[in-house]
Amino acid sequence: MCSHYQAIKERERYATHFGIEPPVEMGKHDVWPCYPATFIRRPREADVGDEAVADREALPGLFGLIPHWATDANIGRQTYNARTETVAAKPSFRDAWKNAQHCVIPVDAFFEPDWRSGKAIATRISCASGEPMGLAGLWSSWKSPKGVVHSFTMLTINADGHDLMCQFHKPVDEKRMVVILPPDSYDHWLKATPQQSMEFMRQYPAQRLLAGAESPAQRSLLA
């Protein structure tokens, strides 16, 4: 499961790829559960025919979905990934899934542990073209004592048969991967109905991804 990723630092690069200006507060570059970052969603006003409203908006939020019924934000430490096989039934995610609260998570790279040497080696996975990636996610809003907090989670699918992602996690563990959306499907995902959601849960081609060991200065995935 993906608990660590790198967000996009450069505002211009973010805007160019995703077609929307990032929020003033872009959060952390190295993102872990409960860290601030950004996500992109379709504005609610866009669904009522207001032509002055853009199709996308970028918002600050916390990595790790905080459902509306949560008592505090710490639940985000367990809700940063949502399994597509159980997302419709899990209490933490089912409302966001039912209501098609789809989002795109802007990412430069994500990390997974390679256990083939017998030790967990954190491995950086990015787009082979050098372009940013947009991951399929769900967002939620939570009323904290200090105001409304937005949050998001990454959707994950089975990757046992994926040529690259099958290399990660312990040999006895199921192989999983995040859902990387082709850029031309961002708006389709954001507009998709609950009944259409599963159509986007597909493996991204291994040849379009690049994997390499991370810098020793960076933290282990297991930290």
Side-chain angles (χ1 to χ4, degrees):
M1 304 291 264
C2 181
S3 62
H4 175 204
Y5 74 92
Q6 288 180 333
I8 300 164
K9 292 192 296 185
E10 305 86 358
R11 298 183 65 86
E12 183 176 350
R13 187 162 176 263
Y14 188 116
T16 298
H17 183 79
F18 293 100
I20 186 72
E21 286 291 330
V24 174
E25 297 295 332
M26 293 181 66
K28 301 288 188 179
H29 174 53
D30 270 288
V31 184
W32 296 79
C34 294
Y35 279 26
T38 73
F39 67 98
I40 297 168
R41 70 178 184 182
R42 180 171 170 80
R44 291 299 177 89
E45 296 82 1
D47 293 323
V48 296
D50 188 343
E51 296 181 358
V53 177
D55 285 338
R56 305 174 186 175
E57 64 176 353
L59 299 173
L62 299 180
F63 179 37
L65 191 139
I66 308 170
H68 63 85
W69 45 260
T71 56
D72 60 57
N74 288 330
I75 191 173
R77 299 185 186 279
Q78 288 81 44
T79 58
Y80 49 88
N81 288 167
R83 295 172 60 95
T84 54
E85 296 88 346
T86 58
V87 66
K90 287 284 186 180
S92 296
F93 306 122
R94 62 189 178 196
D95 288 343
W97 181 262
K98 178 182 177 181
N99 296 322
Q101 292 171 203
H102 297 164
C103 68
V104 175
I105 305 166
V107 169
D108 242 344
F110 59 92
F111 294 84
E112 297 289 1
D114 186 340
W115 280 89
R116 288 177 296 172
S117 66
K119 296 172 60 178
I121 299 175
T123 304
R124 186 179 189 270
I125 302 163
S126 59
C127 191
S129 68
E131 292 293 309
M133 294 180 284
L135 307 186
L138 300 173
W139 65 271
S140 186
S141 294
W142 173 65
K143 292 183 179 179
S144 78
K146 296 182 179 180
V148 175
V149 175
H150 294 304
S151 61
F152 58 92
T153 185
M154 297 176 176
L155 289 158
T156 70
I157 56 177
N158 179 274
D160 285 340
H162 193 270
D163 289 343
L164 176 63
M165 300 306 298
C166 70
Q167 300 174 13
F168 304 106
H169 298 281
K170 294 180 180 180
V172 297
D173 290 345
E174 178 194 6
K175 311 307 177 184
R176 305 289 299 177
M177 69 182 295
V178 293
V179 177
I180 304 169
L181 296 165
D184 61 3
S185 71
Y186 292 163
D187 285 324
H188 295 299
W189 167 246
L190 295 179
K191 296 177 182 178
T193 65
Q195 294 73 26
Q196 297 169 327
S197 297
M198 287 302 296
E199 297 174 13
F200 295 84
M201 303 298 104
R202 302 170 185 168
Q203 294 183 355
Y204 199 73
Q207 64 270 23
R208 297 184 187 176
L209 298 172
L210 184 66
E214 74 163 337
S215 164
Q218 292 178 310
R219 290 190 291 173
S220 164
L221 277 173
L222 303 183

